[in-house]
Amino acid sequence: MKAVVLYDKADRSVEIRDVPVPAIGPEECLVEVKFCGICGSEPHMYHGQLTLLARPPVVLGHEWSGQIVEVGERVVGFAAGDRVTCETAAETCGVCALCRSGNYNVCPQRRAFGFAVDGAFTQYVRAKAHRLHHIPDGVSYEAAAMTEPICVAYNAVAEKSHIRPGDIVVIIGPGPVGLFCLQVAKLAGAGTVIVTGTQRDRARLDLARRLGADLAVDVSQQDPVELVRGLGDGLGAHLVVDCAGVPAAIQQSLQLVRQNGQVTKVGWALQPVNHPMDEIVAKVITYQGAFSHTWTTWEACLELMRQGRIQTEPLISEIWPITRWEEAFHKLEALEAHKILLYPVD
């Protein structure tokens, strides 16, 4: 079967290869991939970046949906024909304090699909049954392939952060995760949600408005700090969700947030911060990271999708075969698409 493979950690070390259909173990399922979304991490890996956890050669792709075609002899609760989506934590140790307390998303031995375990830019994936989730009736395979970034947003906004009705929330970065953070923040009761981006993000900021953002700000045209200070009591945002991660966004998040406020950082940065962090102390800011998700996150998000309370279709720009992976990567890098889904070919 054809697969998009990262074969080295060097720049442009990705290509289409023929790989064997994986054999499953007694607690695993073999899933036929229907769709797999491209994450922002994958173009970075294509350029030899964000490869610290990568173990090439490895099939890329971790945002996927599919149908079970085979189950292992010890699998319970799943059968051939079931529609499923899958968490990214392909393997964890299961015995450390983090795993035993339900925080396996940060297990030191965690190995993720598309990084250290073969992912879903191909036709078939093997996955442990306890990482699979049934797709609810009424949720399409296309929508289910976007469960993973929705879960990233839900973990950051609904689980790690604290929002009270009426709070001012600023989301830095209008990529797919930022746009899902916007939707989760509105569901959580935020009063005013502001999404910020750069001039290159014009189309994404327009989409943020359509998805319910009260304000969508191009930071090259308007100072978001001045704008936020003009809202409510003038103290600033109760919560800032940094989905960009770059040094400028880190600096801006500390300026946007109020005293005793929260900053939740989701976005990864490839550069050093080079900015004093004393503002965290002076303003008594709760500054935290949010990473990945767990079983309960997935179940909550799938239920919201079943209820139609999370919009996915407006974010899907293209649906292409995996053979067009390179074109898709370039289009996403140029910010000419919001989310591109790939499907397998024989």
Side-chain angles (χ1 to χ4, degrees), residues 107-168:
C107 169
Q109 303 302 317
R110 178 183 184 273
R111 301 175 69 210
F113 286 110
F115 287 84
V117 174
D118 283 339
F121 286 166
T122 188
Q123 192 169 5
Y124 295 98
V125 179
R126 70 173 183 178
K128 296 185 184 300
H130 63 263
R131 292 291 184 257
L132 294 173
H133 295 260
H134 288 102
I135 300 172
D137 292 342
V139 176
S140 68
Y141 281 119
E142 293 89 339
M146 301 180 73
T147 312
E148 196 275 340
I150 296 172
C151 289
V152 170
Y154 187 93
N155 175 55
V157 175
E159 296 179 340
K160 297 298 183 186
S161 305
H162 304 284
I163 296 178
R164 292 172 296 186
D167 277 358
I168 298 171

Side-chain angles (χ1 to χ4, degrees), residues 11-166:
D11 185 31
R12 301 178 186 276
S13 297
V14 176
E15 65 183 11
I16 290 281
R17 289 186 174 182
D18 288 318
V19 300
V21 175
I24 62 171
E27 297 176 349
E28 295 177 323
C29 296
L30 185 67
V31 184
E32 182 181 11
V33 176
K34 296 299 183 181
F35 298 99
C36 187
I38 300 175
C39 173
S41 64
E42 280 136 5
H44 282 304
M45 295 172 74
Y46 170 62
H47 292 296
Q49 305 161 338
L50 286 180
T51 56
L52 179 64
L53 301 178
R55 298 187 183 183
V58 65
V59 179
L60 295 175
H62 60 266
E63 303 178 2
W64 55 282
S65 64
Q67 184 176 42
I68 294 176
V69 296
E70 182 182 354
V71 298
E73 60 187 25
R74 292 206 295 267
V75 170
V76 177
F78 292 95
D82 286 357
R83 302 188 322 130
V84 294
T85 183
C86 188
E87 299 178 32
T88 56
E91 297 179 8
T92 56
C93 75
V95 297
C96 71
L98 293 164
C99 285
R100 289 177 184 268
S101 61
N103 298 298
Y104 58 85
N105 58 311
V106 286
C107 169
Q109 303 302 317
R110 178 183 184 273
R111 301 175 69 210
F113 286 110
F115 287 84
V117 174
D118 283 339
F121 286 166
T122 188
Q123 192 169 5
Y124 295 98
V125 179
R126 70 173 183 178
K128 296 185 184 300
H130 63 263
R131 292 291 184 257
L132 294 173
H133 295 260
H134 288 102
I135 300 172
D137 292 342
V139 176
S140 68
Y141 281 119
E142 293 89 339
M146 301 180 73
T147 312
E148 196 275 340
I150 296 172
C151 289
V152 170
Y154 187 93
N155 175 55
V157 175
E159 296 179 340
K160 297 298 183 186
S161 305
H162 304 284
I163 296 178
R164 292 172 296 186

Side-chain angles (χ1 to χ4, degrees), residues 154-197:
Y154 187 93
N155 175 55
V157 175
E159 296 179 340
K160 297 298 183 186
S161 305
H162 304 284
I163 296 178
R164 292 172 296 186
D167 277 358
I168 298 171
V169 177
V170 178
I171 297 164
I172 300 176
V177 170
L179 295 173
F180 287 131
C181 283
L182 154 66
Q183 296 185 59
V184 175
K186 298 293 282 190
L187 288 173
T192 302
V193 180
I194 302 162
V195 178
T196 72

Side-chain angles (χ1 to χ4, degrees), residues 222-265:
Q222 187 174 13
D223 181 0
V225 177
E226 181 180 345
L227 172 66
V228 170
R229 297 290 180 185
L231 300 174
D233 56 18
L235 291 175
H238 297 84
L239 169 65
V240 178
V241 184
D242 177 6
C243 297
V246 297
I250 294 171
Q251 179 179 353
Q252 192 169 87
S253 67
L254 298 179
Q255 296 169 342
L256 285 163
V257 71
R258 64 172 51 218
Q259 287 84 350
N260 290 332
Q262 311 164 73
V263 175
T264 300
K265 185 176 184 295

